[in-house]
Amino acid sequence: MKHVEETAPQVADAIRGETHREENGLEMIASENFASRAVMEAQGSVMTNKYAEGYPGERYYGGCKFMDEVEELAHERALDIFGAEHVNVQPHSGTQANMAVYLSVLDPGDRILGMDLTHGGHLSHGHPANFSGKLYDVEHYLVDEETGRIDYDGLAEQAHRFDPDIIVTGASAYPREIEFDRLGEIADEVDAYHLADIAHIAGLVAAGEHVSPVPHADFVTTTTHKTLRGPRGGMILCDDEHASDVDSAVFPGTQGGPLMHVVAAKAVCFAEAQTDEFDEYQSSIVENSRALARTLEDEGWTLVGDGTDNHLVLVDLRDESITGKEAEEALEDVGITVNKNTVPGEEESPTVTSGVRIGTPALTTRGMGTEEIERVARLISRVLSNTDDEELKSGVADEVRTLCDEFPLYPDLP
């Protein structure tokens, strides 16, 4: 980091601070992960210098030979991993991937049926504060508040009544497996497009740890930095019949020049995702998540959905004398990072919430297994049961640092 230090020492200080935070804390936000050194090298490469508007073989700038090479590699690897007919790897984020899909098949005022944000959905699935809720006519489906699971029969009834143009599935805080085949059938019944947003579970899908939506959806969008463990970015998978419309919606519809250093890093990420080690890693994420759920339930905590099938658990704190915000802050005090999250039937504001979302991808990346995860779950329980006990929290913080020392993140990074 010599050159950053010389040019912008305050930025260098912030980078060192973040490196220290990641190394010495337990990162358990379900949407976060740690990229490999190979991914970070590609993203920090000279690929950042080049404009490459357009697509391989059809660029608006000269000098794109190597840009074409890395984007074509990303295409080949993504299609091999997910078994789709077409892919666009240029979206800057998952939200921009969703935006491009909407633009490719919807007109302003068309109807979207998506999961409610407080029940586990995402802003870009039609929330009124988001462009998707401003441009389109939206209804949201809910999970059953008793079971914490999607009510597929109720969703079907709602779809037949609302008659949406597109049904958006997938979630940002849903701990159970999603039945994409059933959702595809519902979309067919009402002659709607089906967009499956697998931003959270893409790595699990790639490794066969979660059923794939590709055979059951017209469009599949994802980020590349969550369970896929790549750079921050987005991607769209679709059938060949939608390829031209999707590509046009990405460029020039919603974006200009692609971030080619990120596309290069995506190609690296996809190469990693083609390995047996990656499949084993995804299996460990799920095993660790189930161990986390079991231990928290044994400690007396209430989980939305009564457990997990994927990479996260959602703790419902409404029976406790603590809010999601208070829980997040208490855990951050001891070096455990989670995020406050709404729960089905939420009555608190989004800045307070009645729950916390806890994930296992990042700790699994560090090499932790079920034994360590169970240990961490008990630490979480101790803190949440005694948020004002500073002496207890100090002891937990010491245990957190010891665990981090046992599983260094980037041992060769200064």
Side-chain angles (χ1 to χ4, degrees), residues 18-25 366 404-405 407-411 413:
E18 176 59 17
T19 302
H20 184 272
R21 188 194 69 83
E22 293 181 14
E23 283 281 2
N24 295 284
R366 293 184 79 139
C404 290
D405 289 341
F407 294 88
L409 177 57
Y410 296 116
L413 193 66

Side-chain angles (χ1 to χ4, degrees), residues 52 77 85 87 97 168 173 198 208 227 237 250 254 259 284 351 363 380 395 397 407:
R77 291 167 180 171
E85 293 179 353
V87 64
V168 184
I198 61 169
T227 49
L237 302 161
V250 174
T254 58
L259 307 177
S284 295
T351 60
L363 295 195
I380 290 172
F407 294 88

Side-chain angles (χ1 to χ4, degrees), residues 378-389:
R378 289 189 289 271
L379 294 178
I380 290 172
S381 180
R382 284 166 59 189
V383 172
L384 296 188
S385 299
N386 302 276
T387 56
D388 296 326
D389 189 332

Side-chain angles (χ1 to χ4, degrees), residues 8-289:
Q10 290 174 312
V11 174
D13 287 343
I15 293 172
R16 275 194 295 269
E18 176 59 17
T19 302
H20 184 272
R21 188 194 69 83
E22 293 181 14
E23 283 281 2
N24 295 284
L26 299 177
E27 181 56 71
M28 301 191 75
I29 292 178
S31 55
E32 296 187 9
N33 209 336
F34 300 122
S36 69
R37 291 300 302 275
V39 166
M40 291 194 293
E41 284 178 9
Q43 191 164 4
S45 72
V46 296
M47 292 289 186
T48 194
N49 297 330
K50 191 75 187 77
Y51 255 119
E53 287 182 352
Y55 293 99
E58 298 179 341
R59 304 290 187 182
Y60 287 79
Y61 288 81
C64 288
K65 168 180 165 55
F66 301 108
M67 305 303 115
D68 287 359
E69 287 184 9
V70 296
E71 188 163 349
E72 287 168 348
L73 279 172
H75 288 170
E76 293 167 8
R77 291 167 180 171
L79 295 177
D80 176 66
I81 292 165
F82 292 100
E85 293 179 353
H86 180 74
V87 64
N88 189 302
V89 298
Q90 291 190 9
H92 300 336
S93 69
T95 292
Q96 287 190 263
N98 289 340
M99 180 186 289
V101 170
Y102 298 150
L103 184 64
S104 72
V105 292
L106 299 181
D107 293 318
D110 280 354
R111 294 180 173 182
I112 294 176
L113 179 60
M115 180 181 276
D116 187 88
L117 180 65
T118 62
H119 283 237
H122 189 263
L123 282 168
S124 63
H125 297 178
H127 191 277
N130 184 259
F131 81 93
S132 55
K134 296 178 184 296
L135 293 181
Y136 304 104
D137 182 11
V138 179
E139 272 198 15
H140 288 111
Y141 59 89
L142 310 176
V143 302
D144 184 304
E145 291 187 22
E146 292 296 319
T147 65
R149 296 172 186 250
I150 296 170
D151 176 2
Y152 294 95
D153 291 338
L155 197 163
E157 292 177 6
Q158 184 178 5
H160 280 273
R161 174 185 55 76
F162 183 56
D163 191 25
D165 296 288
I166 191 167
I167 298 177
V168 184
T169 64
S172 64
Y174 184 72
R176 290 304 189 176
E177 188 163 52
I178 298 172
E179 297 178 19
F180 288 116
D181 54 347
R182 178 77 175 98
L183 294 165
E185 291 171 359
I186 294 170
D188 288 342
E189 289 170 7
V190 297
D191 195 27
Y193 293 109
H194 178 197
L195 163 59
D197 181 343
I198 61 169
H200 267 263
I201 58 172
L204 305 181
V205 170
E209 292 293 326
H210 189 293
V211 63
S212 173
V214 170
H216 312 292
D218 301 285
F219 309 94
V220 176
T221 59
T222 183
T223 56
T224 50
H225 56 276
K226 297 184 178 79
T227 49
L228 268 178
R229 204 169 56 183
R232 302 189 72 84
M235 177 171 67
I236 303 170
L237 302 161
C238 65
D239 298 333
D240 282 336
E241 66 177 295
H242 299 298
S244 178
D245 289 337
V246 162
D247 287 350
S248 295
V250 174
F251 172 81
T254 58
Q255 297 181 180
L259 307 177
M260 290 309 302
H261 56 303
V262 180
V263 172
K266 290 175 185 178
V268 174
C269 160
F270 299 152
E272 293 175 345
Q274 290 176 305
T275 65
D276 292 339
E277 290 80 6
F278 184 83
D279 291 348
E280 293 167 4
Y281 163 69
Q282 297 296 327
S283 177
S284 295
I285 287 176
V286 177
E287 289 177 6
N288 284 344
S289 188

